Structures are given as structure tokens and as C-alpha cells.
Amino acid sequence: MTIHWCGTGLSAIPGLRRLIENGREVTVWNRTVEKAQEAVGDLTDDIRAFSLDALAEALKPGDIAVSMLPGDLHVPVAKLCLEKGAHFVSSSYIAPEMKALDGAFKEAGLACVNEIGLDPGIDHLMAHWLVADYRASDAYDAGNKLSFRSYCGGVPKIANPFRYKFSWSPLGVLKALRSPSKSIKDGAPFDVSRPWDAISAYTAPLPTSETFEVYPNRDSIPFMEDYKFDADWDVDLFVRGTLRLNGWADAWSDVFAEVETLEGDAGDARLKEMSDQFWDENSYDDGEPDRVIMCVELKAETDGADAYHKTYVMDAWGDDRGTAMARLVSTPVSLAIDMVLDGKAPAGVTAATADPALIDTWMGHVNELAQHVAVVDHTA
């Protein structure tokens, strides 16, 4: 059973190296062989030039294909896996086209594991843990009013005037600014056209309390079912979003104003210009530490008083092991591959595991990857 790891970008390397160092049979694929050789050439010489045709030729029944490639290649690689009788793993969100493959993967008895990086990934594990902990607590009551927040952000460890730095092309971040979001606020759907229309302050319960700017992203609402919220629960707030350093909104105000006006091919060209400029001015220097903060919070109220209120927090930063972002994205991917190899992954299209034993094991790894991981009980 061979692991075909496709893509050796900055966020892929620690998990890939872990698998090879643990003696797993790994074939490494990348569009540029030289870049892959720089990343893992000291560990393996089984490095090949990626193409869908070449991967199709190599895939065998029972193998695992891992896509750390651009998002538009995840579904084509997953479809190849179905054709060849192989499993699939990716850290990315489950697109509708991927979800549509669920029946085929189940029928074939193959695993298609997604959303198992940092965000999405570790945040799912924390959310599953909190919901299970709440259900098992004396505070549980189906009539409680619930608030759920999940925020994650990669920020510079050493703040800069722009209040943000880039590990790779800024184009994806700029495009995301044009995306709407859906969440629950005051018990009702809360639709936002642009992130800057819904920026608020969030105080993270870190060892030294720290306030950040946060905003909702994507569509949070389907995750209520994913996190096993009962349909009849009274949900006052449910939001998954992005976390940024204080001062980010002010530093980016001109960016917001311009992005709002961009349309068509000319707008896309201008976004590319902005991306190139931001990369020149605000990319990480060699060895400069990044930082990743994650806070997943669940609160249940009875008659206006907190009956249950816990936050799962993580704070990590770059060190001699490399960037925090790379460790926290790719190591969970490698753990998902172990899960498939051990026969513990369900057939079909799935996201990060809700299995309590696996969550404990995986969060144990996260505790080693991050400098601070804790569950804060606000009612204690």
C-alpha cells in the first residue's frame, strides 16, 4: 500500500517528512521535481513529476492519494482514486463536487477524508470534543441557549504596520475578501456580503488575555449538523471565522475600499498587481516566526446564567522546527493517513474524525506541535 503524496508546498512538508521518517511507503509527486527534492530529497529518492496521467498510471488498489495541490485538482485526484480503487486524503474543505462522490466511495468501500488540516481540521476536533463534553456534563439541558464560536488566524509573531504577513501568494487572501458569509446571530441567520462589514472584537483566554479582531467566513450553518447539534437546540450564536491582529481593519481599510470596486478581467488583473506588491512588502523573512491562534468556544445558558462555558485554545509559533502553519496543517494530514492505513477510516466522503479516542490521540500530537493548548473552563 503506497502513499502518493501530491504537492510539496510550504504547508505540506512536516507531515510528509513524518510519514517517510516513520517508514511508510511514500511516493512524492510535485509539478517541480527540484522543489520536492529540496524539501525531502534527504529522506527519499522516490520523487516524480506530477500529472494526472502519471498518477493514474502509478495508483494501485488500496493505495492512498494525498492532494496538497491547488483546490481545483482535489476532485480530479479523488475521481482517479475511485477509478483505481484507492483512498483519498486532503486537508481542504469538502466542495459540493467532492460531496457528490460520497455514494461512490461508500459503494467501493474506500475512504475519502477531507478537512483534516488546521482550519478546517483541528478546529473540528476541538468542536467535537466540546459538544461531547457538554452532552456528558451535569449542565446539559436540551432547553439551554447555546453560543458557539470558532476562530482561527495565522498572524505574524512580531507585529508589522500592515498587521499581517504572507507565507505564500496573497492572491487567495485578497479573493477571500470578496466572499460572503453565513452564520447565526441573535438566533437568526446572519448574512454578510463582505468580511469588513462584520468585524468585531474577541478576547482570547490565553495565559495572558489578548484581544483580536474577528469576522465570520464561509457558510457556518451546515457545521451545526456536522458537530452533532440537535435540530431542536436553541442556538443563539453559531459562527466560524477568521482572527486577525488588533489594528488589522484600520491597516487594510484602503484595501477593502479598492477590492469592493474591482470587477471583471481588469479587476482580476488589479488583484494580481496588489498581490505582487503585498508579497514584496509583507512576506515573511527567512526564519521569521509566524503565529497561529485558535479558539473554539461553547457556552450554554440557563435563565441568563452560564451553565456550561468552555474554550479550547491553541497558540503556536514558528521555531527551529519551522513555521507553525506548516506543522499544524500537514501533521494532522499525516495522522489521517495513519488512520486509513490502520483501517479506522470510514468509507465515504468524511471530514475530521469525531471518534473520542482518535481525538485524544490527535490532540496529544497537537499539544506537541503548539506551544500552548488548553481547555479553559469559564465557570470554574
Side-chain angles (χ1 to χ4, degrees), residues 49-103:
F50 173 80
S51 72
L52 287 172
D53 288 343
L55 180 62
E57 187 79 18
L59 267 180
K60 300 292 186 291
D63 284 355
I64 303 171
V66 186
S67 181
M68 301 296 281
L69 299 162
D72 59 350
L73 285 168
H74 297 331
V75 171
V77 172
K79 288 181 175 178
L80 268 187
C81 288
L82 282 171
E83 292 175 20
K84 301 295 181 176
H87 305 281
F88 176 84
V89 176
S90 165
S91 64
S92 296
Y93 278 101
I94 298 172
E97 298 82 4
M98 185 71 77
K99 193 171 186 178
L101 302 178
D102 180 53

Side-chain angles (χ1 to χ4, degrees), residues 145-151 180-192 198 200 215-225 227 229-231 233-241 297 299:
K145 180 179 287 188
L146 299 180
S147 299
F148 176 88
R149 296 176 175 88
S150 178
Y151 295 121
S181 68
K182 295 178 179 292
S183 54
I184 298 290
K185 183 179 179 181
D186 297 327
F190 181 56
D191 295 350
V192 177
S200 60
Y215 58 88
N217 62 25
R218 296 179 172 265
D219 185 355
S220 297
I221 295 173
F223 290 93
M224 288 194 288
E225 181 179 352
Y227 295 161
F229 275 50
D230 287 354
W233 281 359
D234 179 9
V235 180
D236 184 61
L237 176 71
F238 190 98
V239 59
R240 300 176 72 255
E297 176 185 349
K299 180 170 71 171

Side-chain angles (χ1 to χ4, degrees), residues 1 7-8 22 27 52 55 57 106 157 182 198 221 236 239 248 259 283-284 298 301 317 320 361 374 378:
M1 184 182 288
T8 59
N22 286 351
T27 297
L52 287 172
L55 180 62
E57 187 79 18
K106 283 179 176 173
K157 180 78 166 72
K182 295 178 179 292
I221 295 173
D236 184 61
V239 59
W248 174 78
V259 165
S283 59
Y284 281 98
L298 180 62
E301 296 176 274
W317 51 87
D320 55 8
T361 298
H378 303 275

Side-chain angles (χ1 to χ4, degrees), residues 121-181:
I122 295 173
D123 56 338
H124 292 347
L125 302 178
M126 291 177 171
H128 287 311
W129 187 95
L130 285 167
V131 172
D133 184 67
Y134 168 58
R135 285 184 179 276
S137 72
D138 293 338
Y140 175 75
D141 188 309
N144 286 339
K145 180 179 287 188
L146 299 180
S147 299
F148 176 88
R149 296 176 175 88
S150 178
Y151 295 121
C152 181
V155 301
K157 180 78 166 72
I158 303 164
N160 61 331
F162 201 50
R163 313 304 285 173
Y164 193 79
K165 284 206 167 186
F166 301 93
S167 300
W168 45 75
S169 171
L171 193 58
V173 174
L174 290 171
K175 287 182 176 179
L177 291 176
R178 305 166 82 176
S179 301
S181 68

